[in-house]
Amino acid sequence: MTKKIKLVLSGSGTRYPVFAGAIKRLLHRGYVIEEVCGTSGGAIVAAALGARYNPDMPYKSVDDLMALLNKSLPAPLLDPNWFPYGTKGIFKGNKLLKEFTKLFPAGFGSTKIPINIVTFNLNTGKHVIWNENSGDISLPLCVRASMSLPLVFNPVKIKNDLHIDGGVTANFPLDVFGDGKDVIGLRFKPSNAKNKKIKNKIDLINATVDGMMETAMAEHMEDALHAQTCYLHTDHGGLNLLMDKGDVEAQVKEGYESMKKFLNKKEGL
């Protein structure tokens, strides 16, 4: 029996390979993905999935997804702003955009399945969900904007407005597909740390972003009455800009095991 679903991928920082492992398990269990929505790190995986997904060849879809993620490792793609004044972040993000342009289709209408990418419009103070109904918009540019963590990457100009990480107000837009029937959402377990140690700028950014995004999740989760949420476990930090292929493989395994537990419970196994 075919199990058709729609996926919502939360913000993740650099933990986005965990999503790949969870998706791998979904495909192995016979689920067919009809549409996907992603925010921040989830936007990278949503675009990769939309670019290569083939419901008739799920195993190849996973291999292609992994190949794309291994090409988007952050360290070789970081281009620092030596003078990050004004709205600039620590990194420009131009190399990332160039890589996304190579990896993903130019427009939303060219993907294998419909995808939705979430950004936050700094000028209007509202989040935006970009998809094939948004007109002639660059998909790689929207992905680049969606993962623009405040203070880390430069904002991105789309239609004369500045956009940053969609997780600021919609880190887990579980209500994007209506009441959530046949929707599975993937998000990370909230931190149980009561007293985080803030030693440097990266710790400060991590703690600030975690707080904003956790708060931004609540409203959308309440609105999605029938959606099911898989909580992903990982021992990896959310801002590891030096992660390598070994880190990617370890995170994929974490996602695979998290989804395995979720599906076993969901299906009564």
Side-chain angles (χ1 to χ4, degrees):
M1 180 180 176
T2 301
K3 296 168 279 192
K4 295 182 178 181
I5 59 168
K6 296 179 180 180
L7 277 183
V8 177
L9 310 178
S10 75
S12 65
T14 56
R15 299 172 295 185
Y16 53 85
V18 181
F19 290 134
I23 292 169
K24 179 178 180 180
R25 186 61 182 173
L26 277 170
L27 298 180
H28 286 178
R29 289 279 274 262
Y31 285 82
V32 175
I33 301 170
E34 293 187 306
E35 191 169 357
V36 61
C37 176
T39 300
S40 192
I44 298 174
V45 178
L49 190 64
R52 299 295 181 91
Y53 179 64
N54 184 344
D56 297 322
M57 300 177 67
Y59 292 95
K60 187 176 187 306
S61 295
V62 172
D63 292 340
D64 286 347
L65 178 59
M66 287 306 306
L68 288 182
L69 294 183
N70 280 326
K71 290 180 180 178
S72 63
L73 294 173
L77 301 175
L78 297 178
D79 42 3
N81 278 311
W82 300 114
F83 302 101
Y85 54 85
T87 62
K88 293 182 178 180
I90 300 173
F91 302 104
K92 300 175 184 176
N94 295 340
K95 288 185 178 180
L96 279 167
L97 177 58
K98 186 176 181 180
E99 189 64 23
F100 292 159
T101 302
K102 294 178 184 176
L103 298 177
F104 307 141
F108 284 86
S110 300
T111 57
K112 303 292 185 181
I113 55 174
I115 69 172
N116 303 267
I117 302 297
V118 186
T119 66
F120 178 72
N121 187 323
L122 286 170
N123 296 93
T124 65
K126 297 178 181 180
H127 72 269
V128 182
I129 298 178
W130 304 95
N131 51 40
E132 60 185 349
N133 297 318
S134 300
D136 186 20
I137 296 295
S138 166
L139 168 57
L141 188 66
C142 289
V143 175
R144 165 65 187 84
S146 185
M147 45 78 58
S148 293
L149 284 168
L151 306 179
V152 178
F153 292 105
N154 286 358
V156 173
K157 182 174 286 188
I158 305 176
K159 288 188 172 182
N160 296 319
D161 285 341
L162 289 179
H163 291 255
I164 60 171
D165 196 311
V168 172
T169 56
N171 193 49
F172 192 41
L174 204 55
D175 55 350
V176 66
F177 298 124
D179 63 6
K181 290 182 180 178
D182 302 319
V183 174
I184 291 181
L186 278 61
R187 62 159 293 192
F188 291 87
K189 287 185 176 181
S191 172
N192 293 322
K194 294 183 179 179
N195 295 299
K196 296 180 180 179
K197 295 181 179 180
I198 310 298
K199 298 180 179 179
N200 50 48
K201 185 174 290 187
I202 296 298
D203 291 341
L204 176 63
I205 293 172
N206 263 322
T208 302
V209 172
D210 282 349
M212 288 191 304
M213 291 185 174
E214 194 63 36
T215 301
M217 287 187 187
E219 177 184 348
H220 299 280
M221 291 185 70
E222 290 174 359
D223 290 343
L225 300 178
H226 304 289
Q228 303 160 89
T229 300
C230 173
Y231 288 89
L232 303 170
H233 170 77
T234 179
D235 292 324
H236 292 75
L239 198 58
N240 180 12
L241 298 176
L242 299 178
M243 73 175 182
D244 55 23
K245 291 184 179 180
D247 295 318
V248 170
E249 292 175 1
Q251 291 180 70
V252 169
K253 290 180 181 178
E254 290 173 326
Y256 191 86
E257 289 303 314
S258 295
M259 181 56 71
K260 179 180 178 181
K261 292 178 182 178
F262 169 77
L263 292 178
N264 284 348
K265 184 176 180 180
K266 168 180 165 62
E267 298 171 1
L269 300 178

